[in-house]
Amino acid sequence: MQYKSTRDSQLRYSSAQVIAQGISAEGGLFVPEALPDLSGRLEELSRLDYRTLAKEIFGCFLTDFTPEEIAACVENAYRPEKFGGGEPVRLTPLTENGEQKYLLELWHGPTCAFKDMALQILPHFLTASLKKAQPGKEALILVATSGDTGKAALAGFQDVAGTKIAVFYPRDGVSPMQKRQMATQEGENVMVCAIEGNFDDAQTAVKRIFTDDAMKKLLEERGMLFSSANSINWGRLLPQIVYYFYAYSQLVRTGALSLGEPMDVVVPTGNFGNILAAYYGKRMGLPVRKLVCASNQNKVLTDFIRTGVYDRRREFYATASPSMDILISSNLERLLYHLCGEDSAALRGWMEDLSQHGVYDVGEEVKAKVQDLFYGGFCGDGSAFQTIRELWDSEGYLCDTHTAVAVDVYRQYRKECGLPSVPTVIASTADPYKFSGSVLEAIQADLLTGDDFQNVEALEKLTGVAAPLQLRELKDKPVRFSRTVSKEQAAAFVRELVQAGEG
């Protein structure tokens, strides 16, 4: 399996090279040269536990890794004790309206967010890749986060030999619990910094550092190289494909559908990585009928799916689902590369238009392909809060704000699509206690306080649902990181981090 860049189809790389490097030198994202067809293996795959399934799927893509290396990565990443025992993900049925729908709980890992499914294994992929592709080099991992990726990456890379990690988050664009998770992070090789602005400012700053020739020269002089833990890194995106295959296998095992029958998939998304993984699963033979893209009030993806025009020139909203507060969805570049016939020139033109003018139009042909694959809908905070309350009142199920967005958009899709009902998997991306203030406000607003840990306690008393220990313990952990810089100062912050290692 070789990989190429979305912005230069002539380039070819091994999986170790693309995981170590993260992003192509000219700014493109790495994609597989071809996707394996697993449609003939669905019955076999449906009998596997999560870890064995992951090894099978990874083996299709990481062909320069030995089976033993892949097995070691999987077993170390997905140890049962890291994910509350048993399988790393859970599939929970919802009974409302008599339709077969299931919440795919992806948040049972150490940081209580779906990012753990990828960021617990990425450090193992990366250290193995460095040995193969860049022996003797140390990786400097840069991360822009809208909340969950930052903590999951910090936890995954904490004290991993041969790595340093710097995480940038929007100062006022994450929940109090997310900020606390990052600010108290332990580890000698980690750094955290707030950015004045929103997530797109943080993401743009990180991308500029990646392609800064002077910075790359500085790293080269010190035996280092840049890498990424964002979903622009293929090693971060690949693990997310696994849980869609696993969800389908669980539906087959329980008799919710017969082998070969389709399911719908609903994903709350901002940067388009999680739903792109489901798209890759469909391309690999997973029977997915429709991919439902759920956005919050920052509905740039909804508008794109419906019009074929991507336009970030709009008001930015800080919402109760902050991990989706994004106006530049990086992974959409990968989808468009595939749908435009892998025309790098066309893709570069769209990305240049986005950078220079804030908008691009993919034309009627690509728009039709997007609409055939995807349904796009959005949900404001009011509707999300109502959904949280309804799920608690009718199902006794406590969900976070991002999952609520997905459930609300699923309901919109069912009203509008005119298609017969099929079993539907709805990605549930975070533990509700990561957003305890918003969840408490949705269920009983008069209990809400200005202190996040008091909100946790009130929500526990109200619902009887216990908060995860790893979140409750944050209350007594010392804050290590409190610095804030402008997006223009982010490069200087990274330079300080690099030069601090000289002694």
Side-chain angles (χ1 to χ4, degrees):
M1 174 74 75
Q2 291 284 296
Y3 294 79
K4 48 194 174 183
S5 168
T6 53
R7 302 191 192 182
D8 187 348
S9 291
Q10 303 307 308
L11 301 175
R12 292 294 184 277
Y13 300 88
S14 69
S15 61
Q17 288 174 307
V18 305
I19 292 172
Q21 196 168 319
I23 190 171
S24 189
E26 81 291 343
L29 305 185
F30 294 117
V31 295
E33 189 175 35
L35 288 164
D37 181 2
L38 300 181
S39 57
R41 298 184 59 195
L42 289 178
E43 183 177 5
E44 168 200 349
L45 297 177
S46 70
R47 295 194 296 265
L48 304 180
D49 61 57
Y50 194 92
R51 295 164 187 82
T52 308
L53 177 63
K55 295 170 191 175
E56 290 294 320
I57 291 176
F58 296 157
C60 298
F61 290 96
L62 308 179
T63 53
D64 50 338
F65 283 59
T66 67
E68 292 76 18
E69 287 171 329
I70 292 173
C73 290
V74 169
E75 295 299 337
N76 283 314
Y78 299 133
R79 294 200 303 270
E81 62 269 23
K82 286 187 175 184
F83 290 86
E87 297 286 52
V89 303
R90 322 278 195 273
L91 201 62
T92 300
L94 293 180
T95 59
E96 61 175 6
N97 300 328
E99 294 180 332
Q100 290 182 291
K101 52 190 176 296
Y102 304 82
L103 291 176
L104 180 61
E105 296 177 353
L106 302 169
W107 38 262
H108 291 282
T111 76
C112 306
F114 81 100
K115 306 295 176 73
D116 288 326
M117 298 306 302
L119 284 166
Q120 281 296 303
I121 197 164
L122 179 60
H124 301 288
F125 282 165
L126 181 59
T127 51
S129 295
L130 286 171
K131 291 176 183 177
K132 295 174 184 293
Q134 299 283 350
K137 289 287 184 74
E138 181 177 43
L140 175 56
I141 299 141
L142 301 185
V143 178
T145 183
S146 54
D148 288 333
T149 291
K151 172 58 182 177
L154 291 164
F157 281 95
Q158 176 186 333
D159 293 327
V160 171
T163 69
K164 293 181 184 292
I165 180 168
V167 169
F168 295 92
Y169 69 92
R171 180 182 61 188
D172 301 316
V174 300
S175 78
M177 191 65 76
Q178 288 173 315
K179 182 181 291 188
R180 185 81 181 181
Q181 282 185 301
M182 290 185 282
T184 59
Q185 176 63 46
E186 299 172 350
E188 295 302 312
N189 64 332
V190 306
M191 288 293 292
V192 180
C193 186
I195 290 278
E196 296 170 355
N198 57 38
F199 169 76
D200 295 315
D201 295 318
Q203 181 167 248
T204 298
V206 165
K207 285 185 175 180
R208 285 176 180 164
I209 295 169
F210 265 108
T211 54
D212 184 319
D213 289 336
M215 190 71 77
K216 286 190 283 189
K217 182 180 178 183
L218 176 65
L219 261 66
E220 181 66 28
E221 291 171 352
R222 285 157 177 77
M224 302 174 72
L225 55 80
F226 281 131
S227 191
S228 173
N230 284 95
S231 54
I232 57 175
N233 191 320
W234 177 251
R236 161 65 198 283
L237 188 60
L238 173 59
Q240 296 178 260
I241 297 172
V242 178
Y243 48 70
Y244 293 110
F245 275 89
Y246 182 76
Y248 187 82
S249 74
Q250 290 300 101
L251 294 180
V252 171
R253 286 187 191 185
T254 59
L257 49 71
S258 298
L259 199 67
E261 290 181 342
M263 67 178 181
D264 285 338
V265 173
V266 185
V267 186
T269 189
N271 217 14
F272 207 74
N274 201 2
I275 198 166
L276 182 68
Y279 162 77
Y280 279 131
K282 178 179 174 70
R283 286 275 307 272
M284 293 163 61
L286 195 61
V288 175
R289 183 179 65 176
K290 201 76 170 182
L291 295 157
V292 178
C293 179
S295 301
N296 63 16
Q297 196 172 358
N298 295 294
K299 59 186 182 72
V300 64
L301 286 168
T302 302
D303 292 343
F304 169 72
I305 290 168
R306 297 188 177 192
T307 67
V309 176
Y310 193 98
D311 191 346
R312 65 171 174 82
R313 303 169 303 176
R314 61 183 67 208
E315 185 176 354
F316 176 88
Y317 297 98
T319 75
S321 47
S323 298
M324 300 160 65
D325 289 348
I326 295 171
L327 294 180
I328 302 175
S329 304
S330 290
N331 272 291
L332 189 61
E333 178 171 336
R334 282 184 166 114
L335 175 74
L336 295 179
Y337 177 74
H338 297 301
L339 298 188
C340 75
E342 303 190 348
D343 184 343
S344 290
L347 193 285
R348 282 197 307 272
W350 294 331
M351 295 303 107
E352 287 169 8
D353 285 344
L354 181 65
S355 176
Q356 296 173 13
H357 309 296
V359 60
Y360 61 85
D361 185 338
V362 298
E364 290 300 317
E365 183 179 350
V366 173
K367 180 181 79 170
K369 292 179 181 179
V370 170
Q371 292 177 342
D372 182 58
L373 290 163
F374 294 88
Y375 169 90
F378 73 98
C379 167
D381 283 352
S383 296
F385 283 15
Q386 182 179 342
T387 300
I388 291 171
R389 188 166 55 252
E390 289 173 351
L391 286 179
W392 176 249
D393 289 343
S394 65
E395 306 265 346
Y397 188 89
L398 195 64
C399 81
D400 85 296
T401 47
H402 305 75
T403 304
V405 167
V407 172
D408 183 84
V409 172
Y410 163 78
R411 292 169 175 171
Q412 297 174 35
Y413 163 68
R414 290 301 309 146
K415 287 179 182 177
E416 294 179 23
C417 72
L419 297 170
S421 176
V422 298
T424 300
V425 170
I426 302 172
S428 178
T429 54
D431 188 290
Y433 281 97
K434 290 200 77 167
F435 306 93
S436 58
S438 294
V439 176
L440 182 61
E441 182 178 356
I443 297 177
Q444 192 165 330
D446 61 350
L447 296 178
L448 188 65
T449 74
D451 182 283
D452 213 38
F453 292 100
Q454 289 181 13
N455 293 334
V456 168
E457 292 176 7
L459 192 58
E460 284 187 310
K461 289 179 182 177
L462 178 65
T463 64
V465 177
L469 179 63
Q470 59 265 49
L471 296 184
R472 284 190 273 121
E473 287 179 337
L474 292 173
K475 183 177 181 179
D476 299 319
K477 291 187 70 173
V479 171
R480 295 185 64 203
F481 305 107
S482 58
R483 187 168 170 184
T484 300
V485 301
S486 69
K487 61 182 178 181
E488 292 80 14
Q489 295 170 321
F493 177 86
V494 172
R495 193 172 288 108
E496 286 179 28
L497 179 60
V498 173
Q499 293 172 335
E502 289 181 332

